[in-house]
Every structure is written in C-alpha cells, then in structure tokens.
Amino acid sequence: MLAGLAEAGVPIDRADLVVGTSAGSVVGAQVCSGVPLDELYQRQLAPVTGEIAAKLGLRVLARYAASAVGGDDRKARARLGRQALRARTVPEADRRAVIAGRLPSHDWPAHPRLLVTAVEATTGAAVTWDRDSGVPLVDAVAASCAVPLVWPPMTIDGKRYVDGGVRSAANVDYASGCSRVLVLAPTTASIRVSGRIGRQLATLGPRVRSAVFSPDAEARAAMGRNVLDPAFRAASARTGRRQAASVAQAAAALF
C-alpha cells in the first residue's frame, strides 16, 4: 500500500511521526530505515526464508475474546498477558532472530520519529518506545509483534511484553499533537470500544484531518485465513499495491 501510494505521488515521506503496532512496527521500522519503498516492496515478493510457521486459530481468537470481556481495559489486557506468559511457544531468542532478519537497519531512525507500541504482560500497562527510550529497536519491535499465545512475550529490562495490538489494532491516539493522520490498518476489529480506530481518532480533536485505509475484498482474500502465514506475503503485497491506486486521491488530500 505504501509503495503504491508513493508511486501515485502521495508524499508519505513527509510524515513526522510513524506509529507502529504489531506487524506495523516492522513496517514502521522498514519504511523509516532509509531503504527505498520500492526496494522494500520487492523484498515482500521474494521467497520467504528465515520465518517460523504459526497459526492464529479459532481457539486462540476465542481466548482473546474471553479475556477482553469485563473489567477495565488494563485488567483485560493483563488477563491475556498472563495467559501468554504460561503458553508454550518457541524460545524468545528464536523469535527475536526472525524479527532482526526482517529489519534492514537495527538502529532507530533519526527522522521521522518512530513510535513502537507494546503491553506489559503482567500488569496490562500500555508502553511505547522511541529512539530516546534506550531500548534496542529489534527488542522493541519483537515485543510489539509478540502475539499472545502464539509467540513468546519478550523480555526488556527484566519485564515481559506482548503485542501492542492487545491495546488497539492501530493505537491511533498515540498520534496526539498531529494535525493530519493517515491510518493503514490491516484489521480494524476491536472487542473493547477503547481500542476502536474511530473512537481513538475522535480523541485527537475535531480539527484533525484523517483517513483510514483497510484491505478491500480482493486484498482480504489474498491475505488468507491465517494472517500469520508468510506464504501469503507476496500476494498480499501485490493486492495492497493495486488497492493504493483507488485511495491515492484521499491520501493525497491530507498533504
């Protein structure tokens, strides 16, 4: 999608802030690395190597839903985080190596500011890291991508963290202070109202201009039923780039 928007003339490189959640933290680190977008796009079309197979099945999704019901937001996140701590997964080091292999640079970008989101597993506290946090970029991204019950919670300074998507699919409200917000969200689903993109955009104020783009029907089909299966990566990339043409005008209006 980003490569297609850039090809259509949308100056997405003018962004001052990039908020990355879950897989979006990988994308954020990639697009802020200085590597040209078209080169990053071509990498998505290459044969998949260095990945670990995983599945986000109905049983896992049901446990997500059950954890989200009742209590305040933080307690709900903590319920899921504690389950993640007990789950059997691959070792942290193996998962971290996968994330490191996805990032063309392991250094935080000087510009734009990259904000990576996560959730502390035991307490449910929402956290963010940037270049001034003192946390290595690979560790921050690995934590943001630590899908509960699928991947291991990641350890940073003695604490364990799970996926930033546990709080919200896009964490749009972290764009506080921005006057124009472009949201690319592979999923907009949220059981809890506080995590919904529309609700979070509303907290930014009435004068904020925004646009939200999600996969169309063709793109959803290309992504497959298991969003954690890298075998669908190339097809997803192609349909995302195609869809960009249909939303380019709306995206350009923000700039």
Side-chain angles (χ1 to χ4, degrees):
M1 175 71 82
L2 289 168
L5 290 176
E7 183 180 41
V10 180
I12 56 176
D13 57 342
R14 289 172 52 189
D16 297 308
L17 172 69
V18 174
V19 178
T21 293
S22 195
S25 67
V26 175
V27 175
Q30 290 173 336
V31 300
C32 295
S33 68
V35 176
L37 274 173
D38 197 62
E39 181 178 331
L40 293 172
Y41 171 75
Q42 293 300 326
R43 292 186 183 188
Q44 302 305 305
L45 305 182
V48 176
T49 59
E51 295 284 345
I52 303 172
K55 186 176 182 179
L56 192 62
L58 292 177
R59 181 176 296 180
V60 172
L61 294 175
R63 292 175 70 179
Y64 287 177
S67 297
V69 176
D72 63 27
D73 293 337
R74 183 165 172 167
K75 289 181 179 179
R77 296 193 295 264
R79 282 196 294 268
L80 184 55
R82 289 192 293 269
Q83 290 186 56
L85 290 170
R86 297 191 297 267
R88 293 185 178 182
T89 64
V90 301
E92 281 188 60
D94 292 357
R95 177 59 177 164
R96 187 185 187 280
V98 171
I99 298 300
R102 293 178 182 176
L103 306 186
S105 172
H106 293 174
D107 297 323
W108 287 94
H111 184 82
R113 181 188 176 207
L114 172 63
L115 197 66
V116 174
T117 70
V119 169
E120 203 275 309
T122 302
T123 65
V127 298
T128 60
W129 296 294
D130 64 9
R131 58 179 174 256
D132 299 321
S133 63
V135 172
L137 178 62
V138 174
D139 290 345
V141 173
S144 190
C145 293
V147 180
L149 311 179
V150 177
W151 301 122
M154 302 303 294
T155 304
I156 297 176
D157 294 333
K159 295 182 179 181
R160 307 288 298 282
Y161 296 91
V162 294
D163 199 301
V166 171
R167 179 181 185 268
S168 167
N171 288 297
V172 177
D173 53 332
Y174 286 140
S176 177
C178 296
S179 59
R180 293 166 290 175
V181 179
L182 173 62
V183 183
L184 301 183
T187 177
T188 59
S190 177
I191 297 173
R192 299 186 71 89
V193 174
S194 60
R196 295 174 185 171
I197 290 175
R199 173 65 66 89
Q200 293 186 334
L201 280 173
T203 69
L204 300 180
R207 296 184 179 181
V208 174
R209 296 163 53 200
S210 63
V212 180
F213 302 135
S214 296
D216 60 16
E218 183 180 352
R220 288 194 299 271
M223 290 166 64
R225 294 185 177 182
N226 179 17
V227 296
L228 300 182
D229 188 347
F232 293 93
R233 181 180 294 171
S236 299
R238 292 189 181 97
T239 55
R241 189 161 193 167
R242 176 206 52 76
Q243 185 184 346
S246 66
V247 299
Q249 185 174 358
L254 292 177
F255 296 88

